[in-house]
Amino acid sequence: MLTIIRSTLKLLFRNKAFWFFLLFAPIASLLILSTNETYTLAEDTAGILEIVEIEADDKVAYYGGVKAYTVKVYDASGSEMSEQLLNDLADTGMYAVCRASTPGITEEELTAHIDNDAYNDRMGAILYLTPDFDELIEEGDTENALNIYVVSDDARTELFESDVKLSMQQLMLAGSPETINEFRENMPGRQITSIAAEGTRTLSPEQTDEKMELGYAFSFMTFGFVFCGAFISHTAIEEQKNMVYTRIKLAGERDITYLTAKFICTLIVSCIITVILAVGAAIFNLAGTGLELSNFILLVFLQGLIFSTLSLLLGILAGEVMTSNFAAFTVWCMSSLFSGLYFPLDDSSAVIKGISYAMPQRWFMEGVEMFFTQDKTIYLFLGGVTAAYLMIILSVGNVGIKLKKQEA
């Protein structure tokens, strides 16, 4: 076994391409970690959405995007009071307010528009502001000042109706648009507090930024580990073609001994890449908020061991150098994409989320959050994830090699 390990390492270190991937991944990751870019949006979403001016016949289905509750407004008033109401709704950041200025619209025309919207468009609700909106507000008649037509089963409709009533009450108490700002200045201020939903964790903006940086760094590190594992598989492919593997078998070595030797080589290479990264991170002091350098190195090493082993076995099963390289690139590209390293997958489809659960990086990003929130089960979690992936990879690889030998 030691002879196999020594010969494999000699072949690797004589390969200039291997040195490129050995050094490129840690250096690229260090550059990413040193950028300190801001990836998060402000927590206060007020003012994100503005009133969209449309025609009465325009469709509004695509104005609100995926998350916003779209409201189509037929504004027959066009007054400062109605403008203030719609601004209040837009400033919440939850509603996409699309206003059609319709002075002089008749009841029959309004009914025709609402029927057309309900059947041929998509929105949460329709809001009609009457021509005498201001006068009714000053008289305290908030019920007849507007009409709300619910045209969806969106659960946020109740919240929308409550926000409309709240804004109407403030306008009524203020009495006029000129005094509304002074009236609101005397009201208690608001503070937005993020509360984690069940099964989720709340991160600070700084931690969210660092998590995004770590995702990009993990992608580059995965690139290095995958191709270094592919180079180890190249040695096995060449040994098979040059009958070296046959001579090893004739010397009495078993398949499990040969695979173990190659696995030890991936372990050594993974350690080398991790040490290079650790030295660079220590020199440039790149330990981040809530994640110590030792914990970051642990995440990188365990993740790298999984991908180096996977790439090794895929290359051996492929039996060709070019096929091995293609498999390594595919593994890196697809796993980084579907694990959420580049962008969050919270709003993706159930199929995409299901695929992400099979990607190792997804669980190590989960580990990052656990380190941030000081979850005491993190080390048991990481050990279990690493052991599970290695067992699956080695078991499937062993079966695949046996089937390949039978076909040969």
Side-chain angles (χ1 to χ4, degrees):
M1 181 185 292
L2 292 177
T3 303
I4 298 172
I5 295 173
R6 283 197 298 268
S7 63
T8 300
L9 293 178
K10 285 181 181 179
L11 291 173
L12 288 175
F13 292 130
R14 290 173 183 172
N15 192 326
K16 295 179 180 179
F18 171 77
W19 278 102
F20 169 78
F21 288 102
L22 189 70
L23 298 175
F24 171 76
I27 292 174
S29 298
L30 291 173
L31 291 175
I32 289 293
L33 293 174
S34 63
T35 56
N36 294 321
E37 292 289 339
T38 300
Y39 300 92
T40 53
L41 296 174
E43 288 294 321
D44 190 350
T45 57
I48 291 179
L49 301 181
E50 297 179 352
I51 300 174
V52 180
E53 301 294 343
I54 61 172
E55 298 297 329
D57 294 327
D58 290 347
K59 295 184 181 296
V60 300
Y62 302 104
Y63 283 106
V66 178
K67 294 184 178 180
Y69 181 93
T70 307
V71 181
K72 187 172 185 179
V73 181
Y74 291 97
D75 187 1
S77 173
S79 63
E80 293 186 26
M81 282 284 200
S82 65
E83 182 78 14
Q84 185 66 53
L85 170 64
L86 299 183
N87 280 324
D88 289 345
L89 295 175
D91 284 346
T92 63
M94 183 185 298
Y95 311 115
V97 180
C98 303
R99 174 174 59 188
S101 181
T102 55
I105 188 173
T106 64
E107 185 175 348
E108 292 76 13
E109 291 173 337
L110 177 63
T111 302
H113 279 298
I114 292 175
D115 289 341
N116 180 66
D117 293 337
Y119 287 103
N120 301 314
D121 204 352
R122 178 172 57 83
M123 65 199 72
I126 298 172
L127 185 62
Y128 170 63
L129 305 181
T130 61
D132 50 353
F133 181 82
D134 285 16
E135 291 77 6
L136 293 173
I137 292 294
E138 292 175 0
E139 294 173 2
D141 189 1
T142 57
E143 294 185 0
N144 294 319
L146 55 79
N147 292 324
I148 298 176
Y149 303 90
V150 178
V151 291
S152 75
D153 57 355
D154 195 310
R156 293 172 293 181
T157 298
E158 292 185 8
L159 181 60
F160 168 70
E161 293 175 338
S162 298
D163 286 338
V164 171
K165 291 179 181 178
L166 177 61
S167 182
M168 294 280 283
Q169 289 173 357
Q170 292 180 358
L171 291 173
M172 182 185 66
L173 293 173
S176 66
E178 292 77 15
T179 58
I180 184 64
N181 291 330
E182 181 181 351
F183 172 78
R184 286 177 175 170
E185 287 177 358
N186 296 325
M187 294 181 64
R190 66 174 181 172
Q191 180 178 359
I192 298 176
T193 303
S194 297
I195 301 176
E198 184 178 357
T200 63
R201 304 176 184 87
T202 298
L203 304 180
S204 67
E206 293 79 11
Q207 290 173 334
T208 303
D209 288 339
E210 185 179 359
K211 181 184 174 183
M212 292 296 297
E213 285 187 349
L214 288 172
Y216 293 124
F218 282 167
S219 178
F220 280 107
M221 291 305 298
T222 302
F223 180 76
F225 283 116
V226 164
F227 276 94
C228 285
F231 279 108
I232 298 175
S233 72
H234 293 174
T235 64
I237 294 171
E238 293 299 324
E239 287 169 353
Q240 292 177 13
K241 290 183 176 181
N242 297 328
M243 305 300 290
V244 175
Y245 177 70
T246 302
R247 291 195 294 271
I248 292 174
K249 291 285 292 181
L250 292 175
E253 296 289 350
R254 296 184 301 168
D255 289 340
I256 188 65
T257 303
Y258 181 79
L259 289 176
T260 302
K262 296 297 183 182
F263 173 74
I264 292 175
C265 290
T266 64
L267 179 63
I268 294 172
V269 171
S270 298
C271 289
I272 294 174
I273 298 178
T274 306
V275 168
I276 295 173
L277 180 66
V279 171
I283 292 175
F284 296 104
N285 192 25
L286 297 180
T289 305
L291 186 63
E292 296 179 358
L293 178 60
S294 59
N295 294 330
F296 170 60
I297 296 303
L298 176 65
L299 290 170
V300 170
F301 173 71
L302 295 179
Q303 191 174 179
L305 184 60
I306 291 173
F307 279 100
S308 296
T309 306
L310 175 60
S311 183
L312 166 66
L313 291 176
L314 286 176
I316 293 175
L317 291 174
E320 295 290 340
V321 171
M322 290 304 298
T323 307
S324 172
N325 292 338
F326 178 77
F329 179 80
T330 303
V331 166
W332 167 70
C333 185
M334 293 295 102
S335 63
S336 297
L337 179 64
F338 287 108
S339 61
L341 294 186
Y342 302 137
F343 44 81
L345 300 177
D346 298 336
D347 298 322
S348 60
S349 65
V351 175
I352 299 299
K353 288 182 179 179
I355 295 174
S356 72
Y357 288 124
M359 305 302 161
Q361 299 102 314
R362 185 240 185 264
W363 300 106
F364 285 94
M365 293 301 289
E366 187 86 6
V368 170
E369 291 188 4
M370 295 176 73
F371 275 126
F372 284 158
T373 56
Q374 299 181 352
D375 193 323
K376 296 181 180 179
T377 63
I378 175 59
Y379 296 107
L380 181 63
F381 172 81
L382 292 178
V385 168
T386 305
Y389 274 105
L390 289 178
M391 288 176 62
I392 293 172
I393 293 170
L394 293 174
S395 300
V396 174
N398 187 40
V399 172
I401 291 173
K402 289 182 178 179
L403 292 176
K404 184 178 180 181
K405 290 173 62 177
Q406 291 177 0
E407 292 177 359

